[in-house]
Amino acid sequence: MIQKSILEALQKIVGPPHLLTQKEDMLTYSYDAAVLDPVMPAAAVIPETKDQVGDIIALCAENQIPITVRGSGTNLSGGTIPYSSGIVLLTGRMNKIIEINEADMYAVVEPGVVTATLAAEVEKRGLFYPPDPGSMAVSTIGGNVAENAGGLRGLKYGVTKDYVMGLRFFDSQGNYIKTGSRTVKCATGYNITGLMVGSEGTLGILDQVILKLIPAPKARQAMVAVYDTIEQASETVAGIISARIVPATLEILDNFTIRAVEDFSKAGLPKDAAALLLIEVDGHPAVVTEEAEQVKALCLKMGARTIDQAKDDAQRDKIWAARRAALSALAQLKPTLVLEDATVPRSRIPDMVRALQDIAKKYRIDIGTFGHAGDGNLHPTILTDRRNKEEFYRVEQAIEEIFDVALSMGGTLSGEHGTGIAKAPFLEKEAGYSSILFSRQLRAALDPSNILNPGKITGV
Amino acid sequence: MADMKELANLVKELEDQLVTCIRCGMCQSVCPLFEQTRKEADVARGKLALLTGLMENMFTDPDGVNERLNRCLLCGSCAANCPSGVNVVEIFIKARAILAEYKGLSPAKKLIFRQLLAHPGRFDAMVDWAGRFQGLFAKPDANAQGTSCARLVSPLLSNRHFMPLSSNPFHKTLPEKGVTTPGSGPKAAIFIGCLIDKIFPGVAHASLKVLSHHNVGVVIPPGQGCCGIPSLASGDRDSFTRLVDHNLALFEKYDFDVLVTACATCTSTIKKLWPSVYKNPSPGMQKKLTALSEKTMDINQFLVDQVGIEPIETGLEDAEKEIVTYHDPCHLKKSLGVADQPRQVIRAAGCRLEEMAGSDKCCGMGGSFNVYHYDLSSAIGTLKEHNIEATGCTAVSTGCPACMMQISDMLGKAGASIRVRHPMELYARALEKLTP
Ligand SMILES: Cc1cc2nc3c(=O)[nH]c(=O)nc-3n(C[C@H](O)[C@H](O)[C@H](O)COP(=O)(O)OP(=O)(O)OC[C@H]3O[C@@H](n4cnc5c(N)ncnc54)[C@H](O)[C@@H]3O)c2cc1C
Ligand code: SF4
Ligand code: SF4
């Protein structure tokens, strides 16, 4: 609970319609897309301006009230599950694109801008903002930065961190911090920008993001290759990379996922195939043609049963529709879906895929695997019913084993979904105790009252 | 009021449907209401969480959940876009019924739904009466949509440009025994629907003209009632069930191959909600509902897919054709997947179809949503109005009379000289020109 006087002060800052305290509303801010237990906050505030955000933080700092920032609440690691004695700060009204600078190729946006909205605005000007998380139709730039979100184009174009040039944010005391700049190069001070990316609202609250833009590629070519064994598909991935070709997208679907997608969307996928690779190369038209030929030859050499090239935009859309349908198709099979993102060095993809199949068998659970084979970031997707306690226990054990396997291959617990509270207990396995201690000390120094999204990442 | 635990048990009926929501939040990208308010309680994910909360007995009274549940257009945009295939509209409708039955209907709604809508004869008489007196309250507005604006400053009507009730509703022009015309090919029964009957009878006349031009045998039983969606949206499952009984018994007496309607909302209600929300159907009843549902079809879809149409030869060059844009009613595209056929009808009618941005975005009507949340409804409708105007069209066409009302209101308020026409009206007009 929060004292009445503080709620009144909050209400004064944002205006009555923008402070929510009723239990019903609190319930709607108690969860995100992670499969975790909900926690209701004491209040939710919806500021619109920088000054309002500053005032809210100062008020919370003074009264030691935890703050959890929430963009669209689509993260998969519990990053927006609040503290029961804390508030949720919603960025929905801070959604202005402040500037798109075509000459210098950057954009300045407020944190509540929806990723797809920015991408579309940028595209209208012949420019390109590449990070494309599967949730981009709803996710916010603030959430993307705070989670260091990736996407399908990670292999060639990198992830959110590669596009953040600078930030404006409030620290835990309500001080306004500027880091980075609008220039391509910037060598002053600490690289605080880098530290803030992926900080999940634990080090500061973003107010503005300066994002790098690049010229849009002139041409692109999509293809699908069908394989009889998952090894051949994985070896193709390695083969393409070692031929020094970097496709914009290089995705894999395993047999379980192929069957689910086909049953769901009747897209004409071969249900007997062990794996599909969906590949897209982009860039200068001449290069695209040449690389597409090389990729095709490579796929066949590595044992692809067939390889089909999209002849027009409609066929290209069809290919990517199959990939986009993967999550939906799997989601329809059972009530609960746990989307993992353990990531391994890409040469280990064949081992990882095999290990996932073994784990599914061992724990007698359904796992569909698809994902960004090109960058080693697979999405083993576990289908279950959370109400079945016995099965869910096996699911939790399987997840732990997935983490262990990924780490044993030199991988990471999360390629893009972040730590939040879902992975906080396992972080030590990956990074070791000293790095957790280091992070905790950093946090304690910057946020002595521990009000910024407590419990996330470092566990306290 | 019974206790909350009992309510929790009632909501348990929905558990298997509720658990299919994976809380991914993707519905935020398409919910027209969320676009306006950006509040989680306004989007499907939030409402589903609230119902789960109700089921888990987390609240001391149901009013807060009820109020939030009713802030919804029932447009189904969320369901159409949901990766997990959550049947959102059906869940919301059932939940509204559970809550209304638990709380009891408000006296005003009881009067409207139980005393009027559920008795087609009484309803028709009342509307007739109101039609004669409406001149007292509204002055006709000399505009392209033919709307009126409120003469007396009435808080209930605010500044709406509402469609006047027709002085000559369709049912009044029907012969006592209804219509039965012979034809070749499949035989179509027509379900008229309240809005077409009482506000847009021209759509029914146009539909008849079109079907007879194509030699389709038609039956129109007299004494048809409402499809029941207004009652359902307010949670009155009893009146709904009574209306379904009435209509079913009526149509049962006739022999036909398809049941067509020119109202997207009626089509979707008969196809989707009659079989799924009817209260405690006997196995025999369930079979009848399912059979009728399978026979029911939007009139554009029927015309294009079953009858087959050719473009009407107008002799006009492309540049001379009337520019028409098309709005996808949620109940046609999102609920039934019908989007291409009405467009084909418009083109066949000799119009140049100019697509608007976001043609399948909800117009903001949402039935009673428009009554209770007029500001939000207008804000959503205004986006539609801008998109319509940006096409440079002279007419906007859509396959649902409810959308026609909302769009007329929005265009009227904006002072736009754009007419609102059902595809059947465009097509019938083109036929008229063909055979004067
Ligand atoms: C269907 C689906 C597909 C997905 N696909 C991908 C994918 O391909 N790649 C990927 O990386 N992720 C993916 N995700 C995960 C998720 O969408 C991303 O993590 C996204 O970045 C979250 O954005 P959001 O606006 O929803 O943030 P939220 O979930 O609201 O917040 C995420 C974190 O950011 C913090 N935060 C938000 N705004 C601010 C701010 N202004 N200042 C400080 N901290 C802030 C929050 O406190 C929280 O810790 C997917 C999720 C779903 C449901
Ligand atoms: S899109 Fe569907 S599954 Fe996802 S939150 Fe909305 S209703 Fe639930
Ligand atoms: S039915 Fe329409 S208004 Fe209601 S939650 Fe779904 S998208 Fe939003």
Side-chain angles (χ1 to χ4, degrees):
Chain A
M1 285 308 288
I2 295 184
Q3 284 166 30
K4 209 162 156 242
S5 59
I6 298 174
L7 291 176
E8 279 163 7
L10 281 171
Q11 195 178 67
K12 220 160 160 192
I13 298 172
V14 288
H18 304 299
L19 173 76
L20 307 174
T21 54
Q22 289 183 1
K23 191 172 176 187
E24 287 83 2
D25 291 317
M26 297 309 97
L27 180 65
T28 67
Y29 297 117
S30 66
Y31 53 77
D32 48 35
V35 185
L36 293 167
D37 292 330
V39 178
M40 284 198 262
V45 279
I46 322 175
E48 189 175 17
T49 64
K50 172 188 153 199
D51 289 347
Q52 291 175 351
V53 178
D55 290 349
I56 294 167
I57 299 170
L59 183 73
C60 290
E62 199 179 310
N63 296 285
Q64 311 207 343
I65 294 170
I67 310 174
T68 296
V69 195
R70 182 178 173 104
S72 293
T74 67
N75 76 86
L76 292 156
S77 49
T80 45
I81 296 186
Y83 241 54
S84 57
S85 59
I87 63 162
V88 166
L89 189 152
L90 299 162
T91 62
R93 289 169 75 215
M94 300 166 67
N95 61 355
K96 284 168 262 327
I97 296 177
I98 298 167
E99 181 188 359
I100 295 181
N101 191 314
E102 295 181 47
D104 293 329
M105 295 207 289
Y106 67 80
V108 184
V109 303
E110 292 187 341
V113 168
V114 169
T115 316
T117 309
L118 175 71
E121 281 305 317
V122 163
E123 203 182 309
K124 279 187 201 157
R125 294 163 175 78
L127 292 170
F128 186 32
Y129 176 68
D132 60 344
S135 51
M136 69 186 290
V138 288
S139 71
T140 63
I141 293 293
N144 289 170
V145 172
E147 295 287 2
N148 188 16
L152 267 60
R153 304 185 184 116
L155 172 60
K156 178 169 177 178
Y157 292 104
V159 296
T160 305
K161 77 169 169 10
D162 301 304
Y163 294 85
V164 184
M165 294 163 71
L167 296 168
R168 305 281 183 269
F169 68 91
F170 287 97
D171 72 3
S172 68
Q173 308 299 305
N175 303 309
Y176 198 62
I177 321 288
K178 298 178 179 179
T179 126
S181 76
R182 292 169 197 232
T183 53
V184 173
K185 294 176 171 179
C186 172
T188 46
Y190 289 120
N191 180 7
I192 299 174
T193 310
L195 181 64
M196 292 301 292
V197 176
S199 64
E200 299 184 12
T202 64
L203 298 179
I205 293 178
L206 304 172
D207 174 61
Q208 274 186 25
V209 183
I210 309 169
L211 293 167
K212 179 169 90 178
L213 307 174
I214 61 173
K218 289 206 172 58
R220 53 198 185 185
Q221 178 64 59
M223 301 160 260
V224 199
V226 180
Y227 291 89
D228 290 324
T229 71
I230 197 118
E231 282 75 14
Q232 293 166 328
S234 320
E235 278 154 21
T236 306
V237 173
I240 292 173
I241 308 288
S242 57
R244 302 289 178 264
I245 300 170
V246 186
T249 323
L250 181 38
E251 298 284 306
I252 195 165
L253 265 59
D254 77 349
N255 174 264
F256 191 97
T257 311
I258 296 169
R259 279 185 288 136
V261 171
E262 186 51 25
D263 289 341
F264 170 69
S265 64
K266 309 271 175 293
L269 303 184
K271 280 171 90 165
D272 62 332
L276 293 185
L277 284 185
L278 313 179
I279 309 163
E280 183 164 295
V281 288
D282 70 359
H284 189 279
V287 176
V288 167
T289 313
E290 189 187 317
E291 287 189 347
E293 285 309 318
Q294 279 177 292
V295 168
K296 258 164 61 178
L298 262 165
C299 290
L300 291 172
K301 194 173 130 205
M302 301 289 182
R305 190 202 296 175
T306 58
I307 173 143
D308 287 320
Q309 200 167 316
K311 295 195 179 54
D312 49 32
D313 278 353
Q315 286 188 5
R316 172 183 185 264
D317 290 348
K318 222 177 132 194
I319 292 177
W320 293 118
R323 166 61 179 84
R324 269 193 303 274
L327 190 64
S328 312
L330 294 170
Q332 318 255 340
L333 299 179
K334 293 243 179 111
T336 311
L337 175 146
V338 185
L339 184 61
E340 278 304 332
D341 70 327
T343 301
V344 293
R346 61 187 152 230
S347 61
R348 304 300 301 271
I349 286 269
D351 303 329
M352 189 64 189
V353 172
R354 227 173 291 118
L356 288 169
Q357 286 169 347
D358 293 344
I359 291 171
K361 228 177 266 154
K362 175 169 165 195
Y363 293 98
R364 290 174 287 121
I365 52 176
D366 289 333
I367 305 185
T369 299
F370 60 93
H372 322 305
D375 54 28
N377 181 191
L378 292 176
H379 287 306
T381 303
I382 305 173
L383 309 168
T384 176
D385 184 342
R386 216 184 164 196
R387 293 170 297 175
N388 180 343
K389 293 219 167 57
E390 186 272 329
E391 180 175 283
F392 201 71
Y393 177 68
R394 277 185 275 128
V395 168
E396 286 175 326
Q397 285 181 311
I399 293 173
E400 239 188 290
E401 192 159 332
I402 293 174
F403 290 165
D404 288 338
V405 171
L407 291 178
S408 75
M409 294 179 189
T412 169
L413 301 179
S414 170
E416 54 184 22
H417 296 164
T419 315
I421 45 184
K423 289 183 181 151
F426 304 100
L427 192 58
E428 195 179 333
K429 279 191 187 184
E430 175 171 337
Y433 183 66
S434 326
S435 69
I436 295 196
L437 193 63
F438 182 84
S439 308
R440 285 183 184 166
Q441 283 168 347
L442 180 76
R443 248 182 117 162
L446 293 174
D447 178 14
S449 309
N450 193 24
I451 61 166
L452 293 178
N453 215 3
K456 315 295 150 45
I457 305 182
T458 56
V460 265
Chain B
M1 216 172 349
D3 74 10
M4 291 297 289
K5 223 165 132 190
E6 193 186 316
L7 179 61
N9 277 332
L10 292 171
V11 180
K12 264 211 169 350
E13 176 197 323
L14 304 176
E15 181 177 358
D16 285 338
Q17 285 183 297
L18 285 172
V19 292
T20 56
C21 171
I22 56 172
R23 302 277 187 269
C24 66
M26 294 308 281
C27 38
Q28 295 173 99
S29 69
V30 289
C31 177
L33 184 57
F34 182 79
E35 184 181 16
Q36 296 297 324
T37 68
R38 306 200 69 81
K39 284 198 180 130
E40 182 85 18
D42 283 335
V43 76
R45 177 171 69 167
K47 292 185 170 76
L48 294 166
L50 285 170
L51 290 173
T52 307
L54 213 53
M55 184 175 80
E56 288 167 358
N57 200 10
M58 289 178 61
F59 300 105
T60 46
D61 73 69
D63 296 343
V65 175
N66 195 36
E67 184 193 311
R68 285 166 182 78
L69 193 63
N70 284 326
R71 274 172 68 98
C72 170
L73 293 147
L74 296 177
C75 67
S77 305
C78 46
N81 190 53
C82 170
S84 195
V86 180
N87 205 336
V88 186
V89 174
E90 193 183 312
I91 295 177
F92 288 172
I93 285 207
K94 286 183 176 164
R96 285 183 184 198
I98 292 171
L99 277 158
E101 279 158 24
Y102 172 81
K103 282 166 58 78
L105 280 182
S106 75
K109 282 188 180 165
K110 245 186 217 154
L111 176 75
I112 298 176
F113 296 123
R114 301 256 157 95
Q115 302 301 324
L116 282 173
L117 274 183
H119 300 273
R122 235 185 261 170
F123 182 41
D124 287 346
M126 196 284 286
V127 174
D128 271 4
W129 180 85
R132 261 178 267 148
F133 287 93
Q134 67 183 351
L136 286 177
F137 303 105
K139 61 175 165 57
D141 214 11
N143 61 15
Q145 299 82 39
T147 55
S148 298
C149 60
R151 173 166 284 175
L152 303 174
V153 186
S154 152
L156 192 72
L157 300 176
S158 58
N159 58 343
R160 277 185 178 76
H161 284 238
F162 56 87
M163 296 304 300
L165 292 166
S166 167
S167 54
N168 210 6
F170 184 76
H171 70 268
K172 280 196 134 183
T173 56
L174 262 188
E176 209 172 297
K177 290 202 163 137
V179 172
T180 331
T181 57
S184 59
K187 188 160 196 170
I190 301 186
F191 185 87
I192 303 294
C194 308
L195 292 183
I196 290 184
D197 180 45
K198 293 167 182 54
I199 294 180
F200 299 105
V203 174
H205 292 296
S207 304
L208 265 180
K209 182 171 286 161
V210 171
L211 293 179
S212 99
H213 171 83
H214 284 284
N215 230 339
V216 175
V218 167
V219 271
I220 308 181
Q224 298 185 20
C226 165
C227 70
I229 187 73
S231 319
L232 258 196
S234 290
D236 187 357
R237 203 166 4 177
D238 287 328
S239 301
F240 164 78
T241 300
R242 232 173 299 148
L243 278 166
V244 176
D245 282 340
H246 168 85
N247 288 317
L248 204 65
L250 194 63
F251 280 90
E252 241 175 9
K253 295 191 208 128
Y254 297 81
D255 174 42
F256 55 89
D257 304 301
V258 277
L259 179 68
V260 299
T261 89
C263 169
T265 304
C266 293
T267 315
S268 149
T269 304
I270 298 172
K271 271 191 100 62
K272 295 237 160 136
L273 300 177
W274 282 18
S276 64
V277 197
Y278 188 95
K279 205 169 176 180
N280 308 325
S282 64
M285 189 59 176
Q286 186 65 53
K287 229 170 150 180
K288 281 189 203 170
L289 292 168
T290 310
L292 188 67
S293 151
E294 281 164 6
K295 271 197 200 175
T296 304
M297 213 184 234
D298 167 61
I299 192 158
N300 299 286
Q301 189 186 17
F302 174 66
L303 206 60
V304 171
D305 295 353
Q306 296 219 351
V307 178
I309 53 171
E310 298 286 332
I312 297 171
E313 202 36 75
T314 55
L316 294 176
E317 294 292 322
D318 229 30
E320 301 167 322
K321 289 180 173 170
E322 174 171 21
I323 302 178
V324 174
T325 192
Y326 176 73
H327 159 72
D328 284 290
C330 296
H331 289 140
L332 261 194
K333 184 169 176 190
K334 286 158 200 150
S335 170
L336 304 172
V338 175
D340 192 40
Q341 296 91 331
R343 288 177 165 81
Q344 288 194 42
V345 171
I346 294 168
R347 283 199 204 94
C351 305
R352 200 169 95 210
L353 183 66
E354 197 66 57
E355 291 288 343
M356 69 175 102
S359 62
D360 64 353
K361 257 180 99 165
C362 176
C363 67
M365 179 67 177
S368 57
F369 182 85
N370 172 278
V371 178
Y372 294 108
H373 305 285
Y374 187 63
D375 288 355
L376 283 167
S377 170
S378 289
I380 298 168
T382 302
L383 297 176
K384 176 82 356 180
E385 191 268 316
H386 290 326
N387 287 341
I388 293 171
E389 280 213 69
T391 62
C393 66
T394 50
V396 51
S397 186
T398 185
C400 180
C403 303
M404 288 172 75
M405 280 176 75
Q406 167 81 344
I407 292 173
S408 299
D409 183 10
M410 296 302 127
L411 290 170
K413 276 203 293 201
S417 55
I418 297 174
R419 291 167 306 118
V420 183
R421 292 290 180 267
H422 193 283
M424 286 304 124
E425 293 179 296
L426 296 175
Y427 192 80
R429 186 192 58 181
L431 289 176
E432 256 163 46
K433 285 191 187 150
L434 200 63
T435 46

